[in-house]
Amino acid sequence: MAISMLDSNMEVDKLTYEIFSILENKFLFGYDDSKNSVTGKETNLSAPFAGNKIVGTGKVRILSIDAGGSTDGVLAAQSLTHLETTLRQNSGKNDAHIADFFDIVAGSGAGGVLAGLLFTRGNDGTPLFTANEALEFILENGRKIGRNSKNGFFRRVSRPAKVFNKVFGDLTLKDTMKGVLIPCYDLKTGTPFVFSRADAWEMDGCDFILADVCGATMADRGVGLQSVDGRTKITAVGGGIAMTNPTAAAITHVLNNKQEFPFANGVEDLLVVSLGNGDSDSGAGNVMSSLAAFVKIAGDGTADMVDQAVSMAFGQTRNNNYVRIQGNGIVGKKYQLIKDENVNKSERMKKMVVIAEEILGQKNVECVLFQGKKLVENSNLDKLKIVASELIKEQERRKTSILPPVVLKHASPSPRTSSATTLSFVSSC
């Protein structure tokens, strides 16, 4: 059945194939029939968040952040800055953080770095970075940690490691505050490898230093790293190769991880915010002359395919339960031009933010499987404001809820591999 979603001539890695199979088999077919929902219960899907009226357990809030894209993380970071500002204003909590309003984050490449910055616990018990501080970090260190550095092999490996070590020190996946999923590609096994907080708490062999995790998901060539106990060793290249858009992986993780998300039975039990990272800056004319251009175009195509499949999976509930922020292809080229300009760092940073703001002001793009993209009336900023309102509603609802929708694990007496990364760890842990 899954072959109907994917061109049979495409070469698809096992993890991606499994994700799309699950999405199709569980959600896509028959989902519009309210009497044939994935929970097996009759539900009025036309009413916002109606599925939760049956059990009253609320929604699992998922944040997904793409790999670099044309803006190398700036668009996603700017989106998160707007979202955090809105959450603070509307909730009345001036010290609120992004991590307060999400239960799990999945980030690839630059998105993985943002996930680490925003969801790792600091000494005072709050996240290490605010969204604005994370944006400043990306702007300040983009060239040091970016995959397109032209400073030679030694600096490509040593400079990102130095930057990440300074931020995270000896903190590990166990020091993250919520669920965290950060992918890379393991050259040793030839499969995607997902760093997972849930697995880290279950097995020491799956706990990694966060500085190494960020280095792995940003790597543009093989970087060797090992788990805290030395049992698991991989040779990693960037998350953009393994999983440009990690949204489907995050959804699959939540729906199969019944220990932490016991009441998440279908997409009606989720609230997903997926952040793209700009437009493709690789023209078709560069495909044959540049392997990097080809990889970027392939990554952009995969990100769109995931967006389309997820959007269709949500069916009638996608307007309330799924939000995707992504450029519409108009200004991506401008961003590449200013990266190539011979201007001082301060001026370049200002221009990068201006272009990210321009993308956020564009009309939002919705992808529909087999039907392409369409522009909607709301802008990307409008969508962020709408989702902020829903996140606050869910936060308030939980104050009076008897059953918690999320039960994060801290330790397990009997080790096992969680559903999040079974495919990645089968030959590693």
Side-chain angles (χ1 to χ4, degrees), residues 319-385:
N319 290 333
N320 297 314
N321 294 36
Y322 176 63
V323 173
R324 171 74 172 173
I325 303 299
Q326 176 65 45
N328 60 22
I330 297 175
V331 299
K333 297 288 185 181
K334 291 184 184 178
Y335 190 89
Q336 184 61 36
L337 288 174
I338 67 166
K339 288 200 297 182
D340 296 336
E341 284 180 355
N342 186 24
V343 297
N344 63 58
K345 183 177 181 180
S346 177
E347 284 300 313
R348 182 179 291 109
M349 289 167 61
K350 290 178 182 178
K351 290 184 178 182
M352 288 161 66
V353 173
V354 168
I355 290 181
E357 281 292 316
E358 187 175 344
I359 294 176
L360 288 173
Q362 295 173 352
K363 289 185 176 181
N364 186 253
V365 178
E366 287 188 356
C367 291
V368 181
L369 195 61
F370 309 131
Q371 298 180 32
K373 300 179 180 180
K374 66 177 182 178
L375 294 177
V376 298
E377 287 304 313
N378 290 329
S379 69
N380 286 317
L381 278 176
D382 292 334
K383 286 279 190 174
L384 286 174
K385 291 177 181 178

Side-chain angles (χ1 to χ4, degrees), residues 226-342:
Q226 62 183 21
S227 58
V228 174
D229 66 356
R231 289 173 51 199
T232 306
K233 298 179 181 180
I234 67 172
T235 301
V237 290
I241 295 175
M243 203 178 298
T244 301
N245 180 346
T247 306
I251 292 172
T252 303
H253 169 80
V254 169
L255 295 180
N256 287 278
N257 183 353
K258 293 303 180 184
Q259 285 189 330
E260 293 188 315
F261 311 103
F263 303 109
N265 297 313
V267 292
E268 71 275 13
D269 300 316
L270 309 177
L271 175 55
V272 179
V273 180
S274 176
L275 302 180
N277 257 318
D279 315 310
S280 173
D281 55 24
S282 303
N286 295 326
V287 173
M288 299 306 294
S289 61
S290 171
L291 178 60
F294 177 80
V295 171
K296 181 174 285 294
I297 290 175
D300 290 341
T302 301
D304 284 345
M305 183 182 293
V306 172
D307 179 28
Q308 291 173 22
V310 171
S311 180
M312 188 172 178
F314 276 88
Q316 295 179 24
T317 68
R318 70 171 175 264
N319 290 333
N320 297 314
N321 294 36
Y322 176 63
V323 173
R324 171 74 172 173
I325 303 299
Q326 176 65 45
N328 60 22
I330 297 175
V331 299
K333 297 288 185 181
K334 291 184 184 178
Y335 190 89
Q336 184 61 36
L337 288 174
I338 67 166
K339 288 200 297 182
D340 296 336
E341 284 180 355
N342 186 24

Side-chain angles (χ1 to χ4, degrees), residues 195-215:
F195 299 101
S196 165
R197 178 191 185 276
D199 286 333
W201 275 108
E202 290 183 347
M203 288 182 264
D204 289 337
C206 297
D207 190 21
F208 288 80
I209 297 289
L210 281 167
D212 292 342
V213 172
C214 290

Side-chain angles (χ1 to χ4, degrees), residues 1 24 31 48 59 66 194 210 213 217 277 284 333 346 368 407:
M1 184 181 295
E24 184 179 58
Y31 188 76
K59 286 183 161 46
D66 281 13
V194 182
L210 281 167
V213 172
T217 199
N277 257 318
K333 297 288 185 181
S346 177
V368 181
V407 184

Side-chain angles (χ1 to χ4, degrees), residues 148-167:
N148 295 318
S149 170
K150 299 178 180 179
N151 294 314
F153 174 76
F154 178 73
R155 288 190 177 182
R156 279 174 146 179
V157 174
S158 67
R159 290 181 68 179
K162 188 175 181 179
V163 172
F164 293 135
N165 285 333
K166 184 177 180 180
V167 172

